Amino acid sequence: MSTGVTLAQGFLAAGKAVGIKASGHPDLALVQNVGPERSAAAVFTSNRIQAAPVKWSREINDGSLAAVVLNSGGANACTGAEGYADAREMAEVTARELGCAPQEVAVCSTGLIGVRLPMQQLRMGIPAVARSLAPDGGTDAATAIMTTDTVSKQSGIMQNGWSVGGMAKGAGMLAPGLATMLVVLTTDASVAPADLDAALRYATAHTFDRLDSDGCMSTNDTVIVLANGASGIAPELSELTNALTGVCHDLSMQLLADAEGASHDIAVEVVNAASEVDAVKVGRSITASNLFKCAIFGQDPNWGRALSALGTTDAAYDPDAVDVSFNGVMVCRGGGIGEDRSLVDLSERRVHVLVDLHAGNESATVWTNDLTYDYVKENAEYSS
Amino acid sequence: MSTGVTLAQGFLAAGKAVGIKASGHPDLALVQNVGPERSAAAVFTSNRIQAAPVKWSREINDGSLAAVVLNSGGANACTGAEGYADAREMAEVTARELGCAPQEVAVCSTGLIGVRLPMQQLRMGIPAVARSLAPDGGTDAATAIMTTDTVSKQSGIMQNGWSVGGMAKGAGMLAPGLATMLVVLTTDASVAPADLDAALRYATAHTFDRLDSDGCMSTNDTVIVLANGASGIAPELSELTNALTGVCHDLSMQLLADAEGASHDIAVEVVNAASEVDAVKVGRSITASNLFKCAIFGQDPNWGRALSALGTTDAAYDPDAVDVSFNGVMVCRGGGIGEDRSLVDLSERRVHVLVDLHAGNESATVWTNDLTYDYVKENAEYSS
């Protein structure tokens, strides 16, 4: 069955092991647009240290793409001019196989920073993967971009004769602006590049950008959307934006659920803020607190750590008016002691922290994970 | 022997268990200035959620103090109007015992946020501690302010007939602006309040403010310095500033060495920055990275994580010019691959990370700890 990036009509995908990873696991993926149109849009990490494939993909990003080539097993970041030449060669080899220009091929890489890619394997591997491109290859592609991910991530929405699908990888280095990951989205809607760009920016700003698993921003983050008009339908921009946002939300929740070593998924919902910016700021301050994250791991509804985190922001609020609830129990009322914290049950994976600032009418939710032994273990032992 | 806050002439101190802590450990301390002058200066947490004792001490801070009363076993934070009345009553009871005005008594508290203090114990305990005030009570006082600290922290410098001494507590919630802790410093130098304030601000800005153990800023941070002129010597402001900075540096290194669960003390030295602000900014970005801190725990000289952290700042530098060394081995040269990372030995507790921005002549060092299983364990199990 066609899922993920091949849910939409007119897209082919493939994924294979070509020898980049020492483990022999799948490590190279291709997504090709074979539809009547070639609109594309992309957002990249705001980190100033940018991987070679990010530099390449950013440069060629002119609203049109024929394909995306992605590898796991090496980030090709901090690899200098040689690394940039490697990224360009990945696009050139892919373009030769698919019969398009190198400037129509975006490149994404993920893995260890500061190591050159094994180009011999890629020169052999890209043609092999290209030969297996198929209209049901979404799952193979999603599998080939995994690193510390324990499951592949795909999503899709079909409605009114057109659809949006996507795949993602990411399990650590997940932080605002962009949550660290590679994401490829596809749609068979007919969309002009400028509209596709606007819809993508709204979607990522309200989903991946509000996922802060560990506060660490990657050098390789990339979200690319390809639109080919194969459905023959040109939806309203609002419809497209809603569909893209829905798929991005679903993928971001899959990233959260698979975050390295996490035992809780925590939604910090900030309500009655003076502005959406304030709500996001307060949410981020709490999701960035290691002490708060450790407390959740210990199933401790420690509202004092939430308050001490939001006290570091310049958001508008009266410290003596703030309410904080954990899973429905208002343990902090008016900036002080509320309900008995023993009434809170934090044994389930999902945790909902509600912060009422009593300062306006805006709201936002920021997601994070708890800080656990296993997070430390994975990140002390795995180089990324 | 007189150490810590009683190293300087004309200061008395005491510490006892008065029943605030369920464990029966010492939990109440007093420091009294009995010298000819009563200059004082203080800096407090920049957290907007401020504990009741911080509010009290900030209000009465007019350049003169007779005493400081400090308790562990309860932060008296987020306790509303009742908590503020409790802090004021601590000052009132202390003032009655010492024969001064309540407005001459600063109050410091540390422990769990969101719990009222046991005032009955404090009403009985403060007179008992006051009766044991002694010129060699520095160690008792330093012991009585410990929470998760495993050792008490004291320091002192004697020179040219005058001295500066101090004590500190703090083992977690250590983060910029101020590193979370309580610190009392004393000097028998003769200093006007304005000079004392200037010297203290310089000293804390260059020591405690550059200690970022876990990125979490407390609601109770306080550094107070008392000067009484008992030595009869009025040093130059630069001499005083150097001495205060020396004692604060020593105390901050003791805090670092005792940080919760840490197995490495990490100095991130940033050199050749365009400005000191840039150097501090880059240092903080690296010390705030959980992935970097986990890597050090795993004895992995992961320069990619350092680079991806500094890439999130707006400091002036060329990403392709940055060098990074771990314990003397330049593993990243010109933003790319340098020496073999296997040459780096991270088995010792002390780790030196040198970041050369090649963008100017300014430098700064920011200190942090690694992120370990034990940090998570302590903060999942201990409520603060």
Side-chain angles (χ1 to χ4, degrees):
Chain A
M1 197 196 132
S2 289
T3 59
V5 290
T6 49
L7 177 69
Q9 302 170 58
F11 289 97
L12 307 178
K16 272 188 180 306
V18 305
I20 306 169
K21 288 178 179 165
S23 66
H25 289 147
D27 46 21
L28 187 64
L30 263 177
V31 180
Q32 184 184 12
N33 179 354
V34 294
E37 302 169 9
R38 286 185 175 179
S39 288
V43 291
F44 301 98
T45 181
S46 55
N47 200 308
R48 288 171 61 197
I49 306 288
Q50 304 204 332
V54 169
K55 290 178 186 170
W56 167 263
S57 299
R58 193 187 284 275
E59 279 167 22
I60 60 142
N61 176 30
D62 64 352
S64 179
L65 285 174
V68 185
V69 58
L70 312 94
N71 76 274
S72 52
N76 195 9
C78 305
T79 44
E82 297 88 346
Y84 182 80
D86 292 342
R88 191 183 53 218
E89 188 180 350
M90 284 176 68
E92 288 166 349
V93 175
T94 304
R96 197 179 311 133
E97 291 300 315
L98 304 184
C100 62
Q103 286 71 22
E104 291 178 290
V105 180
V107 181
C108 300
S109 298
T110 179
L112 184 63
I113 296 173
V115 177
R116 293 278 304 278
L117 289 176
M119 289 308 294
Q120 200 52 44
Q121 276 75 357
L122 283 157
R123 289 181 198 113
M124 304 281 286
I126 292 172
V129 175
R131 280 192 294 277
S132 64
L133 281 163
D136 62 354
T139 299
D140 286 345
T143 303
I145 58 175
M146 292 165 61
T147 56
T148 57
D149 306 68
T150 64
V151 292
S152 64
K153 285 103 179 167
Q154 298 186 80
S155 181
I157 291 175
M158 304 183 70
Q159 56 183 16
N160 308 324
W162 62 283
S163 51
V164 176
M167 67 178 184
K169 72 77 49 182
M173 265 206 183
L174 295 174
L178 229 43
T180 304
M181 68 217 160
L182 304 180
V183 179
V184 178
L185 306 163
T186 53
T187 177
D188 47 24
S190 175
V191 197
D195 283 349
L196 195 59
D197 186 69
L200 180 65
R201 285 177 194 281
Y202 181 93
T204 58
H206 289 78
T207 57
F208 299 120
D209 279 358
R210 294 190 181 172
L211 178 65
D212 183 359
S213 175
D214 62 3
C216 295
M217 190 195 295
S218 151
T219 51
N220 289 53
D221 298 333
T222 305
V223 183
I224 295 174
V225 58
L226 309 175
N228 66 8
S231 67
I233 297 171
E236 293 290 313
L237 179 56
S238 61
E239 272 186 283
L240 177 76
T241 301
N242 286 342
L244 269 186
T245 304
V247 170
C248 288
H249 177 77
D250 185 28
L251 288 172
S252 68
M253 291 300 104
Q254 292 182 49
L255 294 173
L256 190 69
D258 194 30
E260 289 168 351
S263 68
H264 289 87
D265 298 340
I266 309 166
V268 177
E269 183 182 1
V270 181
V271 299
N272 296 321
S275 67
E276 189 176 351
V277 168
D278 271 10
V280 171
K281 202 179 281 181
V282 166
R284 283 208 204 295
S285 73
I286 296 171
T287 58
S289 165
N290 279 351
L291 288 175
F292 169 79
K293 289 151 63 93
C294 284
I296 300 296
F297 173 51
Q299 303 191 15
D300 172 14
N302 196 315
W303 58 270
R305 292 180 183 173
L307 249 65
S308 71
L310 76 89
T312 64
T313 74
D314 62 359
Y317 63 83
D318 172 359
D320 293 326
V322 176
D323 300 328
V324 181
S325 302
F326 282 70
N327 285 349
V329 181
M330 195 182 287
V331 284
C332 168
R333 181 178 290 115
I337 305 160
E339 302 297 316
D340 190 329
R341 57 169 87 193
S342 69
L343 298 174
V344 180
D345 178 3
L346 296 176
S347 59
E348 299 291 320
R349 183 168 176 110
R350 278 171 178 262
V351 173
H352 179 235
V353 177
L354 182 69
V355 179
D356 190 337
L357 295 180
H358 294 287
N361 298 304
E362 299 300 321
S363 61
T365 300
V366 179
W367 287 269
T368 191
N369 298 105
D370 53 352
L371 181 53
T372 69
Y373 301 138
D374 287 345
Y375 176 86
V376 176
K377 183 174 162 65
E378 284 207 41
N379 288 299
E381 295 179 358
Y382 172 80
S383 277
S384 66
Chain B
M1 196 196 132
S2 288
T3 59
V5 289
T6 49
L7 177 70
Q9 302 169 57
F11 289 97
L12 307 178
K16 272 187 180 306
V18 304
I20 306 169
K21 286 178 179 165
S23 65
H25 289 146
D27 47 20
L28 188 64
L30 262 177
V31 180
Q32 184 183 13
N33 178 355
V34 295
E37 302 169 6
R38 286 185 174 177
S39 287
V43 291
F44 301 98
T45 179
S46 56
N47 200 308
R48 288 171 63 198
I49 305 288
Q50 305 205 331
V54 169
K55 290 179 187 170
W56 167 264
S57 300
R58 192 187 284 274
E59 279 168 23
I60 60 145
N61 176 31
D62 64 352
S64 179
L65 285 174
V68 185
V69 57
L70 313 93
N71 75 274
S72 53
N76 195 10
C78 306
T79 45
E82 297 88 346
Y84 182 80
D86 292 342
R88 190 182 56 217
E89 189 179 350
M90 285 175 67
E92 288 166 350
V93 174
T94 304
R96 198 179 310 134
E97 290 301 313
L98 303 184
C100 63
Q103 286 72 21
E104 292 177 289
V105 180
V107 180
C108 300
S109 299
T110 177
L112 184 62
I113 296 173
V115 177
R116 291 280 303 280
L117 291 175
M119 288 308 294
Q120 199 52 44
Q121 276 76 356
L122 282 158
R123 287 181 199 113
M124 303 281 286
I126 291 172
V129 175
R131 281 192 295 275
S132 64
L133 281 164
D136 61 354
T139 300
D140 286 346
T143 303
I145 58 174
M146 292 165 62
T147 56
T148 56
D149 304 68
T150 64
V151 292
S152 65
K153 285 105 179 167
Q154 298 184 82
S155 181
I157 291 175
M158 303 183 72
Q159 55 183 19
N160 308 325
W162 62 282
S163 52
V164 175
M167 66 178 185
K169 71 78 48 182
M173 263 205 185
L174 294 174
L178 236 36
T180 304
M181 68 218 160
L182 304 180
V183 178
V184 179
L185 305 163
T186 54
T187 178
D188 46 24
S190 177
V191 198
D195 284 349
L196 196 60
D197 186 68
L200 181 65
R201 283 176 196 283
Y202 181 92
T204 58
H206 289 79
T207 57
F208 299 119
D209 280 358
R210 293 188 182 175
L211 178 65
D212 183 0
S213 175
D214 62 2
C216 294
M217 189 195 295
S218 150
T219 52
N220 288 53
D221 298 332
T222 304
V223 183
I224 295 175
V225 58
L226 309 175
N228 66 9
S231 68
I233 297 172
E236 292 291 314
L237 180 55
S238 61
E239 274 186 281
L240 177 77
T241 301
N242 285 342
L244 269 185
T245 303
V247 170
C248 287
H249 177 76
D250 185 28
L251 288 172
S252 68
M253 290 300 104
Q254 293 182 49
L255 294 172
L256 189 69
D258 195 31
E260 289 167 352
S263 67
H264 289 87
D265 298 340
I266 308 165
V268 177
E269 182 181 2
V270 181
V271 299
N272 296 323
S275 67
E276 189 177 351
V277 168
D278 270 9
V280 172
K281 204 180 280 180
V282 166
R284 283 208 203 299
S285 74
I286 295 171
T287 59
S289 164
N290 279 351
L291 287 176
F292 169 78
K293 288 150 65 93
C294 284
I296 300 295
F297 173 52
Q299 302 190 18
D300 172 15
N302 196 314
W303 58 270
R305 292 180 183 175
L307 248 64
S308 71
L310 76 88
T312 65
T313 74
D314 61 0
Y317 64 83
D318 172 359
D320 293 327
V322 176
D323 299 329
V324 181
S325 301
F326 282 69
N327 285 349
V329 181
M330 196 182 286
V331 284
C332 169
R333 181 179 289 116
I337 303 160
E339 302 298 314
D340 190 328
R341 56 169 86 194
S342 69
L343 299 173
V344 180
D345 178 3
L346 296 176
S347 60
E348 299 292 319
R349 183 168 176 109
R350 278 169 178 264
V351 174
H352 179 234
V353 177
L354 181 69
V355 179
D356 189 337
L357 295 180
H358 294 287
N361 298 304
E362 300 299 321
S363 63
T365 300
V366 180
W367 287 270
T368 191
N369 299 105
D370 53 350
L371 181 53
T372 68
Y373 300 139
D374 287 345
Y375 175 86
V376 175
K377 183 173 161 67
E378 283 207 41
N379 289 297
E381 293 179 357
Y382 172 80
S383 277
S384 67

